[in-house]
Amino acid sequence: MKVDYIIVGQGLAGSLLAYRLWKAGKSIMVFDPAEEVTSTKIAAGMITPISGKRMTVTPMQAILYEDVFQLYPQIEADINETLLHHLPVQMSFGSIKEQNDFYSQKEKIEEFVQENQPLNKGLQAPYGHININKSGWLNTTNLINGIRTLLIENHAYIKHQVNWNEVKFADSYCQYLSYQANAIICCSGYQAQANPLFPKDVLIPNKGDVFIIQSNVITPEHIIKRGAYAVPISPSKQLFKVGSTYKWNTTNATPDELGYNDLKQKTDFFVNGEYEIKQHLAAIRPTTKNRLPILGRHHQHQNLFFFNGLGTKGVLLAPYYSRLMAELILNNKPLPGSFNLQINDSTKL
């Protein structure tokens, strides 16, 4: 069977790229193992214009936001599902130093922040707090499931773990099983390391733990944050997603006592009152050394592309970078010159 493109992996990167190619009228086939727990599905999906403990404006914030608020509403309309929830982040300072860092950056970020707002009763704030506006969260589980349904309805999805050793490349096409395509795109998260053609030592597996908690002290008009965060995923049931932890260079995604204790300590640090842990989940994020995603064409196989490594800010980054990938694949439009894929000779795509 002939299709225009094969996509391997239906996490955030694969889903958004598949959607863009489908909207462009291309025939696609997506192969994905359909794991119940993945980094995309358990992610908080937070979108905020402010980054890091030093409170700086996210690089390329205006460009990233333009793609975010163009693409996600379009997907919502096509899958008939609300995905994007606009909520301020109410952040309390974890120390006097964090408070001082804010005031040293205040002029640079003042368009996004508000002071002296009513404090969420579920947030500890001994050193004060601010609201970060133009923020929110994306329901990543509904995004993945909605796009998967769309693909299935269009006969463009197969539940399957791809064996890259069985992918065949020719000058003008590639083939996997009975499917022949113009190109194949690897979007398989940290599992891309199983692809012998994927650049070595570029992805850093990063395990993250999250809790689903129930609390009647946190009110759902904010995402609250003090180091860790709590996102109101089901206000009617008083459910919040709390995260996260960071354990580097492991591919064991099983929730364990170490991750539980780490996140429990973080949760106790910012939740002001009692809560019940309903579920403990963990998954592996595909992060990179320079915190930039991996995207582009393989240097030898011109019909092999990579789109991976969106990391902890994937929901914010993915709309922009999926657009760049679609433009490269469909129109051979070069990636921006500032986006350097040539990390070094040993990892050259």
Side-chain angles (χ1 to χ4, degrees), residues 62-279:
I63 296 173
L64 295 174
Y65 266 51
E66 184 177 348
D67 278 293
V68 162
F69 294 115
Q70 184 275 328
L71 183 61
Y72 291 135
Q74 186 179 35
I75 296 173
E76 287 179 325
D78 279 332
I79 68 173
N80 194 29
E81 185 82 52
T82 299
L83 302 173
L84 197 56
H85 301 265
H86 300 269
L87 284 178
V89 173
Q90 186 165 96
M91 189 191 85
S92 72
F93 304 118
S95 63
I96 292 293
K97 181 181 183 305
E98 284 189 17
Q99 185 187 71
N100 291 337
D101 287 343
F102 164 69
Y103 284 110
S104 70
Q105 293 288 334
K106 184 178 176 181
E107 288 187 7
K108 298 178 182 179
I109 63 176
E110 59 184 354
E111 68 175 293
F112 302 113
V113 300
Q114 285 181 296
E115 297 179 85
N116 304 314
Q117 297 299 300
L119 179 65
N120 191 304
K121 67 178 184 178
L123 177 62
Q124 297 185 46
Y127 304 105
H129 70 280
I130 57 172
N131 279 13
I132 303 174
N133 297 322
K134 297 186 179 179
S135 299
W137 68 282
L138 185 85
N139 191 320
T140 52
T141 298
N142 287 356
L143 172 77
I144 297 301
N145 292 340
I147 290 182
R148 180 170 299 165
T149 298
L150 196 67
L151 294 170
I152 291 171
E153 289 173 349
N154 287 273
H155 309 287
Y157 178 88
I158 294 177
K159 180 180 178 180
H160 175 78
Q161 181 73 57
V162 166
N163 181 349
W164 282 96
N165 292 313
E166 296 180 5
V167 179
K168 299 175 182 178
F169 294 96
D171 290 340
S172 59
Y173 68 91
C174 57
Q175 185 162 338
Y176 183 66
L177 303 179
S178 61
Y179 290 88
Q180 188 179 108
N182 297 329
I184 185 168
I185 307 104
C186 176
C187 306
S188 48
Y190 82 94
Q191 295 180 357
Q193 296 176 115
N195 181 347
L197 297 172
F198 192 78
K200 305 301 180 186
D201 303 321
V202 176
L203 277 183
I204 307 172
N206 179 348
K207 182 179 181 179
D209 296 83
V210 301
F211 290 154
I212 306 299
I213 70 168
Q214 188 171 50
S215 171
N216 61 10
V217 299
I218 308 171
T219 51
E221 67 266 21
H222 310 102
I223 298 167
I224 62 170
K225 185 175 187 293
R226 187 184 184 211
Y229 57 78
V231 174
I233 58 173
S234 180
S236 64
K237 297 180 181 179
Q238 300 179 319
L239 294 178
F240 299 83
K241 183 177 289 186
V242 173
S244 176
T245 63
Y246 301 88
K247 185 176 181 181
W248 303 93
N249 291 308
T250 179
T251 57
N252 181 1
T254 304
D256 57 28
E257 185 177 1
L258 182 65
Y260 181 96
N261 292 338
D262 186 5
L263 188 54
K264 179 69 165 57
Q265 183 178 27
K266 291 181 176 182
T267 308
D268 291 341
F269 183 67
F270 81 102
V271 173
N272 184 34
E274 294 184 356
Y275 61 90
E276 181 182 356
I277 299 171
K278 309 295 283 188
Q279 197 171 9

